[in-house]
Amino acid sequence: MSNKKNTAPKSGEKFKSKIGGQALIEGIMMLGPDKGAMACRMPDGSIDLETWQENNGKNAPWYKKTPLVRGCVNFVVSLIKGYKYMMKSAEKQFTEEEKEESGSVMYQISMYVGIVLGLVLAVGLFVFLPKFLVGLMPTVKSLRILRSIVEGLVKIAIFVLYMYLISLTKDIRRQYMYHGAEHKCINCIEHGMELNVENVQKSSRLHRRCGTSFLLIVMVVSIIFFLFIRVNSPLLRVVVRILLVPVIAGVSYEFIRLAGKSENPVVLTLSKPGLWLQKL
């Protein structure tokens, strides 16, 4: 998955890698400095493996290494690659009949409709619903700073509740298990142990560089940013918040990156809510 330096530490020696990953449908995608890989469990029980070249190490382009900029770039790249390999992993579970259907125009249309509905649901849950709920609190909505704080806390509460509720479904619970397996693999490597089933099983399923923790940090950082935005027009306020998304993503990425390699007590304390969230 990565170069010799990142795969051959002394036994038991803890170090920080640049390896990241994502749970897929019956599989995992892993990205290292030089290579990427996708492993999926096929319907017959065999493991299908794909590998490809990556450029995330020392020779990566400037926009992948520049602070703040790299956070925005990695966020977008992660969304694109995540969607691409999620779809590929789903296709591997198709029967021959389903594979034929997946090539039809109606199937493609239904996929795009699903994406649009997902975006609408996300905007409704995390943008309009918090505003609506805060609007039911006359005392709160009349105080700008308090309104921003409460609105942010409501978003976090909705996010945590959403993560919990979808974990109750069989398919999502299965994907959460693969997510935990991904963390175990990275923790195994970063603790200098040989990457085998026995060592992975006893490794932690929690990791400070988790994407779920990143989303939580994004919400916290957005609360802080929006405290300083004073725009009277509701429409202009929405526009400004959209424009700030790359900045918020960049700052959040830098914190997650720091959390992954720092043992500072303050950083460790600030990372704990993300680790608690992973226990879902």
Side-chain angles (χ1 to χ4, degrees):
M1 278 301 302
S2 58
N3 56 33
K4 187 176 181 180
K5 182 179 178 182
N6 279 349
T7 56
K10 295 179 181 178
S11 179
E13 178 186 345
K14 189 174 181 180
F15 79 113
K16 305 303 177 184
S17 73
K18 292 185 177 180
I19 300 173
Q22 174 183 320
L24 304 174
I25 306 298
E26 287 298 316
I28 294 174
M29 175 184 70
M30 303 288 276
L31 299 175
D34 306 311
K35 283 188 176 182
M38 177 179 76
C40 292
R41 188 181 300 279
M42 304 299 283
D44 62 3
S46 63
I47 303 297
D48 179 80
L49 177 66
E50 290 185 30
T51 61
W52 58 89
Q53 293 299 122
E54 284 287 333
N55 187 16
N56 301 315
K58 292 182 179 180
N59 297 321
W62 67 270
Y63 51 81
K64 286 188 176 183
K65 298 188 290 186
T66 306
L68 295 182
V69 175
R70 62 191 174 192
C72 305
V73 172
N74 285 334
F75 178 66
V76 174
V77 170
S78 295
L79 288 177
I80 295 173
K81 283 189 175 180
Y83 176 77
K84 174 184 176 180
Y85 290 104
M86 183 71 77
M87 291 299 101
K88 288 188 72 172
S89 67
E91 290 171 3
K92 292 180 184 296
Q93 305 303 314
F94 287 171
T95 62
E96 289 301 320
E97 184 179 344
E98 289 171 331
K99 287 180 181 179
E100 292 179 5
E101 291 179 358
S102 66
S104 67
V105 175
M106 288 304 298
Y107 179 85
Q108 297 298 324
I109 292 175
S110 67
M111 288 295 296
Y112 288 117
V113 170
I115 294 173
V116 172
L117 290 178
L119 291 173
V120 171
L121 177 62
V123 172
L125 281 178
F126 300 110
V127 177
F128 292 109
L129 182 57
K131 288 183 177 297
F132 172 75
L133 294 176
V134 172
L136 299 178
M137 310 173 192
T139 305
V140 172
K141 72 176 184 179
S142 62
L143 302 172
R144 188 187 64 83
I145 294 179
L146 182 59
R147 181 187 65 206
S148 296
I149 293 174
V150 173
E151 191 174 308
L153 293 176
V154 170
K155 287 181 183 178
I156 293 175
I158 292 174
F159 176 63
V160 174
L161 180 61
Y162 172 80
M163 291 289 293
Y164 170 71
L165 290 177
I166 64 173
S167 75
L168 300 178
T169 64
K170 181 180 178 181
D171 290 341
I172 297 299
R173 170 62 64 177
R174 180 73 169 170
Q175 197 163 357
Y176 278 8
M177 290 178 180
Y178 277 105
H179 191 178
E182 170 224 325
H183 287 183
K184 282 175 170 283
C185 289
I186 296 176
N187 277 319
C188 177
I189 294 171
E190 292 185 343
H191 283 77
M193 296 186 289
E194 181 184 352
L195 189 62
N196 57 42
V197 174
E198 182 182 0
N199 288 336
V200 168
Q201 284 180 331
K202 62 186 180 184
S203 297
S204 173
R205 63 184 173 88
L206 308 180
H207 200 286
R208 296 202 296 268
R209 285 193 289 110
C210 173
T212 307
S213 296
F214 171 77
L215 292 177
L216 182 61
I217 294 299
V218 164
M219 293 186 179
V220 174
V221 172
S222 67
I223 293 175
I224 298 172
F225 268 71
F226 296 155
L227 285 176
F228 300 97
I229 296 178
R230 297 186 179 183
V231 182
N232 294 324
S233 169
L235 179 60
L236 186 58
R237 190 183 305 125
V238 171
V239 172
V240 171
R241 291 189 174 192
I242 292 174
L243 293 176
L244 276 174
V245 168
V247 181
I248 292 171
V251 172
S252 302
Y253 177 83
E254 295 304 322
F255 176 80
I256 286 293
R257 184 183 172 89
L258 175 64
K261 62 183 180 180
S262 174
E263 298 300 325
N264 182 285
V266 176
V267 175
L268 293 178
T269 300
L270 293 175
S271 299
K272 284 186 177 180
L275 297 177
W276 294 336
L277 184 60
Q278 290 175 43
K279 291 187 177 182
L280 289 178

